[in-house]
Amino acid sequence: LTTVGRVEARPEDQAREHFRQGVLRADLGAWGLAAEHFRAAYAIRRTPAIVYNLASALEHTNELATAAGLFRIVARDAN
């Protein structure tokens, strides 16, 4: 038997895939699932796009305090 090792994805690739999945879920209106994917991406990388999209998803799921804090981060970092 031959064992083929599994290649682990780089963190940047994992974040990109979670972000992509989050966008797909958001486009379908599945905001809870979108938030899960954006949270996973955010845990790996904190780009403005990830932070903004996580905040937006959280706003749609009525996690308003957390969403507001993230929107403040986006606004602060834009300046």
Side-chain angles (χ1 to χ4, degrees):
L1 292 175
T2 303
T3 303
V4 177
R6 183 175 165 197
V7 176
E8 291 295 319
R10 296 178 319 178
E12 304 86 41
D13 295 334
Q14 292 173 342
R16 189 173 295 113
E17 180 59 20
H18 279 296
F19 182 80
R20 189 180 75 76
Q21 290 295 323
V23 169
L24 289 172
R25 299 313 187 275
D27 287 346
L28 295 172
W31 292 105
L33 292 173
E36 288 178 27
H37 282 288
F38 292 135
R39 272 192 177 109
Y42 181 78
I44 299 167
R45 283 189 78 190
R46 295 185 178 187
T47 67
I50 291 171
V51 178
Y52 177 82
N53 281 280
L54 174 55
S56 182
L58 293 176
E59 181 180 31
H60 280 87
T61 60
N62 289 320
E63 295 182 55
L64 302 178
T66 304
L70 291 169
F71 281 129
R72 279 192 289 277
I73 290 170
V74 171
R76 180 197 70 211
D77 292 350
N79 294 321

